[in-house]
Amino acid sequence: MVAQNVVFGVLAAAMGLAAIRVVTTKNVVHAALYLVVVLAGVAALYILLAAEFIAVVQVIIYIGAIVLLILFGTMLTRAPIGRASDLDNDQRWLAVVVSLLLLGVLGAVLADAYGSTKLPKGAQVQRTGDVGLSIFQTYVIPFEVVSVLLLAALVGAVVIARRD
Amino acid sequence: MTGLLAAAFEAPYLDYAALAPEMVLTGVLLAVLVVDLFVDEGRKAVVAQLAGVGLLASLLPIVFLAVDGNDRSMFSGAYVVDDFALVLKALFLVSGYVVLLMSADHIEEGDYWKGEYTFLLLSSLLGMVVMCSSRDLLTIFVALELLSIPAYMLAGWRKRDLRSNEAALKYYLLGVLSSAVMLYGMSLVFGATGTTVLEDIARELGDNTSEPLVKLGIFFIVVGFAFKVSAVPFHFWAPDTYEGAPTPVTAFLSVASKAAGFVALLQLVFVGFFGQDNVWQPLFWVLAALTMTVGNLVALRQTNVVRLLAYSSVAQAGYMLVPFAVGGSGDAAARTAQTAAIVYLLIYAAMNLGAFAVVIAVARKTRSGEVSSYGGLFTYAPGLTVLMTVFLFSLAGIPPFGGWFAKLYIFKSAVDAGTGWSVALAVITGVNSVIALFYYASVAREMWMRPVPDEDVTPVRVPPALGAALAITALAVVAIGIYPQAFARLGDLAELAVR
Amino acid sequence: MYLNQFLLLAAFLFCVGVYGVLARKNAVLVLMSIELILNAVNINLVAFGLFRESVAGQVFALFVIAVAAAEVGVGLAVVILIYRNRHSIDLTEVDMMKG
Amino acid sequence: MLENAWVIPALPVLSFVLILFFGKRLPKHGHEIGVAAVALAFVLACVCAVQWVQRPANLEVKPGSEEHAAAPGSPAQANAVAALEEKAPPGSEGGHEGEGKGEKEGEAGEHEAEPIRKPVVKEVTWFDNGQTRVKAGTHVDGLAVTMMFVVTLISLLVHVFSTSYMHGDRRYTHYFAALSLFTAGMLVMVTANNTLQLLVGWELMGLCSFMLIGHWWEERNNSNAALKAFFTTRTGDVGLLIGIAILFFAAGQTFDIADINAAALGGEVSHGLVLAGAAALLCGVIGKSAQFPLHTWLPDAMAGPTPVSALIHAATMVVAGVYLVARLYGVFWSGFDIGGGGINPVALVGGITVLIAAALAFVQTDIKKVLAYSTVSQLGYMVMALGVGAWTAGVFHLVTHAFFKGLLFLGAGSVSHAVHSFDMKKDMGGLREHMPITFKTFVIGSLALAGVPPLAGFWSKDEILLGASSNGYPVFLVIGLLGAALTAAYMTRCVYLTFFGEYRGHGQPHESPPAITVPLVVLAALSVVAGFVNVPGGEWFAKWTENETVLSAGVAHHSFSPFVALFGSALGLLGIAAGYAYYWRNLGPHRLTQRSGAAGTGYRILENKYGLDRLYTDWVVGGIKGPIARGAYWFNQRVIDGVVNGVGIIARGLARFVYDTVDQKVVDGVVNGAGIGAEDGGRVLRLMQTGRVQQYALFLFGAVVVLGGTLVLFTTG
Amino acid sequence: MFDSWALTLVVFLPAVGAALLVAVPRRAENLMKLVALATTLATAAVGVAILARFDYGATDTLQFEVDRPWIDVINSRYHMGVDGISLPLLALSVLITVLCVVYSWDHFPEPHNPKAFLALMLVLETGMNGTFVGQDLILFFVFFELVLLPMYFMIGVWGGPNRQYAAIKFFLFTLFGSALMILAFLALYFKGGNTFDIPLLVERGGTIARDAQILIFGGLFMGFAIKVPMFPFHTWLPDAHTEAPTVGSVILAAVLLKLGTYGFIRIALPILPDAAQAWAPWIGGLAVVGIIYGALGCLAQKDLKRLIAFSSVAHMGFVMLGIATLTDYGINAAVFGMVAHGLITGMLFFIAGSIQERYGTREMSRLGGLLLQAPRLAWLLGFCAMASLGLPGLAGFWGEFPAILSAYQPAPGLSEALFRVYMVVAAVGTVFAAGYLLWMYQRTAFGTAKKEFAEAHVHDVHLPEWLAWAPLLLLILILGIFPSLIFRVTDGAVQSMTSALQAIGG
């Protein structure tokens, strides 16, 4: 268990720092790269949480697709590749206050609810197969709906984004 | 659930009859997508006609299911087809149909992507139809996204118009943020209960939780839908988006999309969190009071009709939130509250769609959304003027137009609850409906009592589809106003089974 | 392992994401911040799934990932549309409609 | 005829309608209808009178007190009254048709009972309201018969007089219509059996006086006078309305006058209530009968045509107040404890009026105003008479006064017809040669007014003085005597200025045509003989008129007192003599007003009419009215016309303030302010809608934090 | 057969007429007028038939009753009926509308458009008639509100220079009141055992707890008092009246104001007897303040119509005073006062409208000498002024004096001393009434015409005016002489109501 905690500590630190860099860096491309660090860290957390399938999906979809998409977006919109000084707007101090307050509220609530609750040890590992079963049994309707959703997003995004 | 996967898989029970409306609708939207590919530019009207027929076709199974009358439940209560679902599905399909009628010429004349437009509209409708039956956090989430994502794009459909772009951007960003907040809340509720099915959640939570985690979870979920129904202070997107989006889309957003939000709220509040009225009742009280007051006050100062209607629909959302703020003091109160909200939704849909239809019709001539461009409308378009007057005063709640009955139900739910808070809210509602009259009447005044600004008094030509939309809505508004019984019964029928 | 260590990390990511959304004026950076928020949710879901020994958590997370993908796609399309018309994706400049 | 007395008021009403709608098209422009209707009414009134006199006196009413031995408030009196009322409780259901009220038989007890004639009552249901059935009808008794006779007679004469006097007037037809209605109003009032009906007639007269005083409304002065008359009497009517309301409940929810009187005398109603009712009614009397301090409208009312003045002063309108007191005497009697002697408000008001008005008559140059103040003074006499318990005397004076005052006014009309002016000092003098008939009749009228025996005025005035002296009102005896002297003196002055000396006017005055002189002669004759209907020994008038109320109140009768008669007539003669000496012989302190400061001040006070008008005009009614007066008179007018007019100024000022400030600014302002507040609220809230999406997001999360934090931290349970 | 359809007919015939009007082509103006006239006449004929078949022996029972399901889900029924209290008002309403159509014959104010004007008038009539016969709170409410829209447009489109402000003010005020009123109705619904039926609620109302009654009455009070209008809610009235076209003013004064007082008598008092007791001193106080205040408002006016409008505040004060006494006398007087005020003030507005039409102004300082230029018109003005100031023998008196009278002895439980003070104040108000009306008359009718109009040829009363006015004038006179024509209709109903009130309240 110690190992797990150490791993978590390292991951958490890395993710925290990277996340902060994502929202503070002056370079858009760097931000995307820091985002990759966070996303990868999340994938690692999933493994810690015994959710291998999700971890894999996280890597494939997030890092493989979404970040790529964002990078394309960056280029298509000709964002400054190098450092830019005006990436933040003038309400960032308010933003800091709001986020800290939010963190305070969330932290307080979580501390109150699960202050010393431990994750069950040796709980039944939910295997990928279970996930699959659940999707196609309990959640088959959302699954079908998501397919329409993706189709609609695709069609719509094409129309919206294409030059005409 | 261990062992060999293949052996463990049992095909889930699917009641295809119950799913018929959704399936028909899916078929139609796919057909639209395909047909659009093979139709020439000049004959895109076919696509819309196909969609229209398809919408009406998907109403058929709803009628059959309603006649059949059995509640059908699947996935251990995660997906339910009951009277509530059927009534609201019908509402969505009909309002979708009306929006389609309103869009027909508008989109065509703007040379927009008609096929895709229709497809997205139908997708969004599908999301709404699914929403009506969703009694499960995950399904609700997915339905919400399905109805929202096409709507984000529809808002930006006038691609070369900066306002339309801006509308889409604002809608999208705030929409995504609020659904993220909602998701976070769902995760908390899931964490507290270990289930996503609303009935089970209700069972797990028991009565009046004191756990801050659950409270926060419920609150975050409500925030997501408060955004959807444009409740203050989550309404900021609404005026800008409504103003920038193509007017039929605005109508769609202000009616169907908002209704979907309310449908979700109804299910969440009265099924999932019914026992937690200590959390949501004060919350909705504040939201309702804020929403109607801010919406009305700001509407007072609008000079653009669409923007005015946008704030008006914010305020109307405030009225619809009233039943939520008073529905927690017992089963009877809950029943009254639900009926009130549903009746209001039904009537609101008719009158607001009607108002937008008139706006579209008038804009065909004046090319303007400013209130001042309505000056002297009575002199050259008396029919439209009378219709607009009917819709506006219906929104204001003046008999004999439908709105009065809707408002009566709201008041009734508040008075029925009978607590000091509920009566206070009723009084606030009353005062607000007076403030609201001021701006509705100001539009009426412009039409009836002011001169024509540019002295161009050529009559307004109303295309048949738009005319049909006007006729449907006007008929509904007047019929409800004079004989509300029929619609009120729908509201009564559509009660959710409270536990 | 404590449940809270995951939840608090998620909360932190959530808040950082919120900050990013509020403070960054480049639209793409805002989209990235949204991803942070969504990931925070996913961490929550998966952790709770383990905690409650329910597979629904993971399933939910999967759906969120799928929807997130769609959202990002749509979001980028909108951003590109804006960029095409305005030659800028500075969100603070997008304020034609107000009041 | 007595049962069908309603015909008598109905005739002039009919005449009014006919004249109004058809008068213009008739050859004589309507006066034929008016004259005919009133003549017929007069004939019927005469028939009534005859029938009444012939009616057997079979109702026995026990007087409440022994003659001459009125021990006020003695237990015997109270018991007797109570005994009477036990038999006839107020509001008995008797009177459906016919003589219901007559069935209240007095108990023939051991006391000497005085038989009187039963009143003839005819009623129909007017309306039902709540538990009350209100009946309309006629209540004909001696008082009513007398009044009908007087009213129709004077009215007939005035009608006849007017045919000539008003000849060629541009609103000749309307004039006659209004005249008819005026007569009708008075007749309705005198025959009324209930206070509501009485009120109808009362107000109808107010309306007609408004129409007739303002007959020449092209002149602002005239319409001002009309308004003033209506407005002032209406002010008094507040009292009447309240009084009727009080009495309605006091008498057990009935408007019936007989019931009210009975209840008031019966002692079942608390004295305070009756007193309140009487006081309220007195306000109405003061307004209508031009008593101090609301007398100021009457002189102004001279703005109307002269025959109208005659009608108003002699037979209608102003005597209505006196009639009201006489009719509801039970209320006054018991409310003010009139039997008790000393001083009471009714007598006081009358007494003050007698003197102040008489004094005012001295300084008038307008002949009609002399007569007007004289009327005020004489009305004071009547009210005083009723106030001192001399009911019969008061009513009798009302009748005799009607004759000679009608005569005097018509005479003044005849004079003005000749000289086209009313100004005695400027346009008259020496007319006795030019207008012999007018002169002779006017002198007869003046002598009657002055109370020279044996003319009518002497008898009635004498009875009043007698009543005052015998009933324990010595102060009012003095006032009456003083008044008698003053009256004689100012009438002497008036006669001198008009008919003696040199003619000071323009043109050639000539005697008036018969339509004018005949009424003068008739009235002159009556002024001579009328007094004899109640001569001591006969006292027929008292027997005819005194009714149940008067008797059961125990109004005392007094035998003729030579001393009082002598003293009274002596003072009258003294007044005449003084006038004669002053004007004919040029004796006495002429130019006193210039020489003596005190006298000058007194004169100015009189000229200023005690400052009342100024009080009314400036302080109460203000700018509504402002007759153009000259010099000091202008000043005076301003002073006395004041309360009425002054009330107006204040009311209008207040009104303007209320309207401009309170209504338009405060009340409306609150409402509009709420509107503006809402708009401003909207403006502020709009500022939040900055158009920046991230600001919206900030608000969104801000709200999440605030609401969420509140929800989590501050709600429990 | 007729009896069960009579009320439906009297209410909805005008609406049908309005629908027909809409179908009339734009150019056929005469046809429009004919349709409108025929409709109102037919309605009036039904009204007359109702008057004829009404059982005057049983005025306290609902007659011509219709009771059918309407909105079952809220137990609201299509329940109509007339009793002695509503009958005179219904008759007044059908009469006034006919006369208004007649008067409008060639008086259509700018911007003309007779079709819309007449249609609105007919819709208005539906609302008014419906309010007077509705015996279900929701039905009552719908009709009560139905009158708002036509009146709003009538003032706003055909009114004077400041019409838009006046129209919206009228609308907002009344709507504000009715928002609270409907809340009170709902409270009654729940407290009274889930019914909106007025007779049923009257039976059950007394059982509601006193505190609840007082609160509910507050809601009703706001709704009705604004409509009356009572001080201090009256400020919409002068504006609305001043700006409204003549016919609008007439209907407003003659019928619409009565909806509020009628509401008090029909709903507020009998259903909430305890609250009525508690509120009565306040209502009475506001009423007498209104009497004096309205009179002062009149005295300050320069504008003829505005003066008449303010006089309504004063007159309705008398009506409310009568109601506040909770006695037979007072309430009978109130109903009489409503009818009388309708006739008299309606008439005054007609005349004011005709004067404005002839002179183009309502400024009293510019008028004068009307008696010379149009003597008949001036006579009528004088007649109505006299009626308005409560001259006995004309209709106005019977609303005014009995109200004063009744204040002397209010219902048991109310402070006699207080109401006697009210009585005195109200009586003083009659002097003020004389003051402002005579003053008005002096300035308009007496004297000679001002220079600007000295040469003007002023048409005296012409035929449509005679036709429209004659019934009103006759009624003013006839009711003044025979008050029992109304009292006998109202008395039974009022008595049964007050006895119930006292049984509970005493």
Side-chain angles (χ1 to χ4, degrees), chain D residues 234, chain E residues 315 318 333 337 388-390 396-405 430 433:
Chain D
R234 189 86 186 171
Chain E
H315 285 124
F318 282 105
S388 183
L389 64 80
F397 175 73
W398 297 109
E400 201 170 282
F401 176 69
I404 295 174
L405 186 83
T430 62

Side-chain angles (χ1 to χ4, degrees), chain E residues 40-107:
Chain E
T40 49
L41 278 178
T43 316
V46 178
V48 168
I50 291 176
L51 279 175
R53 296 176 59 92
F54 190 82
D55 176 6
Y56 293 95
T59 54
D60 57 338
T61 51
L62 285 181
Q63 304 186 22
F64 302 96
E65 227 176 331
V66 203
D67 192 1
R68 290 174 192 289
W70 180 40
I71 317 177
D72 280 341
V73 285
I74 51 172
N75 282 339
S76 173
R77 298 178 67 77
Y78 180 76
H79 187 185
M80 289 177 168
V82 281
D83 66 358
I85 295 174
S86 27
L87 188 67
L89 297 167
L90 178 65
L92 178 70
S93 167
V94 294
L95 172 69
I96 292 282
T97 325
V98 176
L99 304 184
C100 284
V101 172
V102 173
Y103 180 84
S104 316
W105 206 257
D106 40 16
H107 280 70

Side-chain angles (χ1 to χ4, degrees), chain D residues 11 65 84 131 176 212 291 332 392 506 579 608 612 679:
Chain D
L11 277 169
S65 58
L84 172 79
Q131 260 81 58
F176 274 94
L212 287 169
Q291 298 294 291
F332 288 93
T392 318
H506 315 283
N608 293 345
L612 276 181
E679 295 242 314

Side-chain angles (χ1 to χ4, degrees), chain E residues 144 147-148 174 222-229 236 256-257 259-260:
Chain E
F144 192 85
V147 299
L148 290 185
T174 27
M222 286 303 288
F224 296 142
I226 287 177
K227 198 85 168 187
V228 169
W236 63 268
L256 290 205
L257 301 190
L259 300 185

Side-chain angles (χ1 to χ4, degrees), chain D residues 129-130 273 656 659 663 668, chain E residues 169 234 300 306 332 491 495:
Chain D
N129 195 339
L273 208 52
R656 179 124 314 269
Y659 177 70
D663 195 76
D668 223 20
Chain E
K169 196 170 177 186
H234 64 279
R306 215 170 161 78
N332 272 330
D491 195 41
Q495 275 199 50

Side-chain angles (χ1 to χ4, degrees), chain D residues 143-382:
Chain D
L143 179 61
V145 168
T146 312
M147 290 304 296
M148 284 197 290
F149 175 78
V150 172
V151 171
T152 50
L153 172 62
I154 303 285
S155 174
L156 176 61
L157 296 175
V158 167
H159 270 82
V160 172
F161 184 93
S162 300
T163 53
S164 167
Y165 187 85
M166 296 298 286
H167 190 75
D169 189 81
R170 75 154 87 191
R171 281 183 290 278
Y172 189 77
T173 309
H174 288 164
Y175 171 83
F176 274 94
L179 221 48
S180 286
L181 190 62
F182 210 149
T183 312
M186 188 65 189
L187 289 171
V188 166
M189 189 187 146
V190 298
T191 54
N193 77 328
N194 63 62
T195 48
L196 273 186
Q197 207 174 331
L198 188 138
L199 186 63
V200 172
W202 178 282
E203 294 288 348
L204 215 50
M205 278 189 284
L207 167 67
C208 295
S209 67
F210 175 74
M211 286 158 70
L212 287 169
I213 294 169
H215 184 71
W216 292 305
W217 36 253
E218 286 91 340
E219 292 292 318
R220 188 148 180 98
N221 279 350
N222 299 339
S223 62
N224 278 339
L227 248 66
K228 187 174 178 182
F230 196 92
F231 193 60
T232 312
T233 51
R234 189 86 186 171
T235 307
D237 289 351
V238 171
L240 184 64
L241 290 180
I242 294 174
I244 290 177
I246 292 176
L247 295 175
F248 172 78
F249 288 102
Q253 308 227 352
T254 178
F255 291 114
D256 192 288
I257 292 171
D259 291 344
I260 290 173
N261 273 328
L265 290 171
E268 289 156 29
V269 186
S270 80
H271 180 257
L273 208 52
V274 180
L275 177 62
L281 289 185
L282 185 60
C283 293
V285 173
I286 288 172
K288 203 73 163 182
S289 284
Q291 298 294 291
F292 178 82
L294 291 182
H295 63 273
T296 58
W297 65 269
L298 192 59
D300 284 16
M302 294 304 114
T306 308
V308 172
S309 303
L311 192 62
I312 289 180
H313 288 242
T316 60
M317 190 77 184
V318 293
V319 297
V322 179
Y323 177 79
L324 178 76
V325 182
R327 178 49 87 198
L328 283 161
Y329 201 55
V331 175
F332 288 93
W333 177 271
S334 118
F336 290 130
D337 196 17
I338 287 174
I343 286 179
N344 68 53
V346 182
L348 189 64
V349 165
I352 293 176
T353 311
V354 168
L355 291 184
I356 61 134
L360 281 172
F362 276 103
V363 299
Q364 303 304 323
T365 56
D366 182 319
I367 184 169
K368 280 180 75 181
K369 294 212 167 168
V370 174
L371 296 177
Y373 281 114
S374 161
T375 306
V376 174
S377 173
Q378 295 300 310
L379 289 167
Y381 259 109
M382 299 173 210

Side-chain angles (χ1 to χ4, degrees), chain B residues 208-229:
Chain B
N208 282 355
T209 178
S210 56
E211 270 187 75
L213 181 86
V214 177
K215 288 181 180 175
L216 199 67
I218 293 174
F219 171 61
F220 276 18
I221 295 176
V222 169
V223 166
F225 292 101
F227 160 85
K228 207 75 216 162
V229 304

